[in-house]
Amino acid sequence: MSCAAAMAAGCDGGGVDRALASGAMRARALDDAMDAEGGACAALVREVMHAAAADGGGDGLSATSSSAALKAMRARAVSELETRAKTMRALADARVATAQGAYDAVDEAITKLDRDLAVFEEAVRARDRSYDDLAVRNVGALGDADAASPASGGFVGSGAYDAPMANPNEPTYCICQQVSFGEMIACENDDCPIEWYHFACVGLSVKNKVKGKWICPTCKKRESSRR
Ligand SMILES: [Zn+2]
Ligand SMILES: [Zn+2]
């Protein structure tokens, strides 16, 4: 695929580049903060050990240190170490979240790339097809849909990639994410995420039209999960 063709298919990859760059920057900042916390803890322990050695015995952090001043210093050090440990725990959690964010960005980019490639390849194939060939295929797809029960609400995907696809920038609809073609039906749910569906993709046909209100499988599933 040429560069221009790839751009036309919408796979510019810019989004994932930015997401990964900002993720890497956050990860570096978190690593630096973690190093600083670790360094501060080590310095604190060294400081108490020094004081203990100067005091003439004990390891400073064991509770057997003799002088009252050293005991007070140890108590302060322990509470500071606890605070820093909490901070490091929070930094570690943020670091994990950053890694997950990078993974999600890549995952999303791969999904989008697959979708764009399918649309692009279909556009190339459709260009070479005659109109008669398309008409035969679409009638065939609707015929298949007749066999499936529309009441089952199941997805009938036959013919999804046989849609004529002249322009890859045309808006897409339906569960199959293809351009509009043939008979379409609108979901009556006002905040439907998709709105328009191909008859064949939702198990309908010209002969088997819906009477009254039609709610798409996505909205039906949402409704029943809300109840
Ligand atoms: Zn809907
Ligand atoms: Zn469809």
Side-chain angles (χ1 to χ4, degrees):
M1 190 192 298
S2 74
C3 186
M7 294 290 283
C11 30
D12 60 355
V16 70
D17 285 357
R18 272 192 303 278
L20 288 180
S22 78
M25 230 156 71
R26 255 200 315 280
R28 268 196 299 276
L30 288 167
D31 285 346
D32 289 350
M34 188 67 109
D35 282 350
E37 286 298 320
C41 287
L44 192 60
V45 170
R46 269 198 307 274
E47 196 186 314
V48 176
M49 302 276 263
H50 263 120
D55 197 51
D59 62 2
L61 288 180
S62 72
T64 56
S65 305
S66 51
S67 89
L70 194 58
K71 271 183 185 151
M73 186 185 191
R74 177 193 168 278
R76 273 199 310 277
V78 166
S79 109
E80 188 178 337
L81 285 173
E82 276 167 358
T83 306
R84 288 194 184 278
K86 268 185 211 139
T87 305
M88 287 167 87
R89 179 64 203 263
L91 286 170
D93 287 349
R95 189 69 170 76
V96 169
T98 303
Q100 182 63 44
Y103 176 85
D104 290 348
V106 170
D107 195 48
E108 202 178 291
I110 290 170
T111 307
K112 184 179 185 305
L113 182 65
D114 285 349
R115 211 164 53 215
D116 290 346
L117 280 177
V119 169
F120 179 79
E121 282 163 12
E122 183 53 38
V124 170
R125 274 200 298 277
R127 199 184 47 198
D128 301 332
R129 266 188 227 135
S130 73
Y131 178 80
D132 283 348
D133 186 27
L134 282 175
V136 167
R137 277 161 184 273
N138 285 332
V139 167
L142 291 175
D144 288 346
D146 279 346
S149 160
S152 72
F155 289 176
V156 180
S158 66
Y161 284 104
D162 291 332
M165 300 276 304
N167 175 6
N169 294 320
E170 227 182 293
T172 56
Y173 305 93
C174 189
I175 43 179
C176 66
Q177 304 206 0
Q178 302 297 315
V179 298
S180 155
F181 67 91
E183 289 272 359
M184 306 284 290
I185 186 165
C187 174
E188 301 264 348
N189 181 6
D190 280 342
D191 45 39
C192 180
I194 298 178
E195 287 181 57
W196 286 96
Y197 293 81
H198 302 110
F199 265 29
C201 293
V202 289
L204 300 173
S205 74
V206 183
K207 279 179 282 173
N208 187 11
K209 275 192 178 152
V210 201
K211 290 166 197 84
K213 217 174 154 187
W214 184 78
I215 300 289
C216 76
T218 310
C219 292
K220 249 188 225 159
K221 217 185 285 168
R222 271 211 219 149
E223 258 175 33
S224 61
S225 70
R226 214 176 285 152
R227 246 178 264 134

